[in-house]
Amino acid sequence: AQKITPDKVVEVLNEFYQRATTTIFSFAGTVDKFLGDGVMALFGAPYSKGDDALRAVRCAVALKMEWEKAMARRPPRERCALKVGLNTGKVLAGTIGSEARLDYTAIGEPVNVASWVCATGEPGQVLITGKTLAAIGARFDVTPLGERPLHGSKVRTAVFEVIEEDSGSGTLPGIKS
């Protein structure tokens, strides 16, 4: 945003929001909210489909590829990379707020961990926690990045970079992701 004019920033952000929303919906995710230059999405809320973590990771990989293609069409000074952080766990999802303004959202430690993991990522990375890796099984090629302390805590969590879906993992015939 510091390299381009405000109208170009809005143009890039609107393109990002459009592509992210379309991709999230295509994987049956819920767009929770736009966060400045980011999007918070939920998989499994309001209803679990049983493969929520798998759809979330597939969505993240698809969005990364889609965004890289979109950025390749822009002038170099307008390009920016996506980074994604995913975590799996039970959250409180529902309508939260005041009488004046209510929002559907999710709260809880898994949300905070996902946000922290995203914040620690490098541009172009899709990062997942060990909990997400356990939920999806060996369907993706990942690079272990080690255990990292959670922000402001002595608790550590394992972090992995998702490279791509393992071509040997297979998807069910007739189902496209």
Side-chain angles (χ1 to χ4, degrees), residues 19 63-74:
R19 289 178 186 278
L63 181 56
K64 176 187 170 189
M65 291 187 319
E66 172 76 15
W67 190 243
E68 286 172 351
K69 288 179 197 171
M71 289 296 99
R73 293 188 289 270
R74 288 195 168 271

Side-chain angles (χ1 to χ4, degrees), residues 148-164:
R148 298 180 181 180
L150 296 178
H151 180 71
S153 169
K154 292 182 181 181
V155 176
R156 299 176 70 80
T157 190
V159 177
F160 302 83
E161 181 177 4
V162 176
I163 307 304
E164 64 185 353

Side-chain angles (χ1 to χ4, degrees), residues 14-79:
N14 283 337
E15 180 177 2
F16 170 67
Y17 296 147
Q18 177 62 46
R19 289 178 186 278
T21 300
T22 300
T23 304
I24 292 163
F25 287 169
S26 76
F27 286 89
T30 300
V31 174
D32 181 310
K33 63 178 66 77
F34 297 136
L35 302 162
D37 62 353
V39 174
M40 180 175 161
L42 308 172
F43 291 81
Y47 305 105
S48 176
K49 297 185 183 315
D51 64 346
D52 305 315
L54 179 60
R55 286 182 298 103
V57 176
R58 283 181 172 157
C59 177
V61 171
L63 181 56
K64 176 187 170 189
M65 291 187 319
E66 172 76 15
W67 190 243
E68 286 172 351
K69 288 179 197 171
M71 289 296 99
R73 293 188 289 270
R74 288 195 168 271
R77 88 183 256 122
E78 293 180 17
R79 294 179 188 168

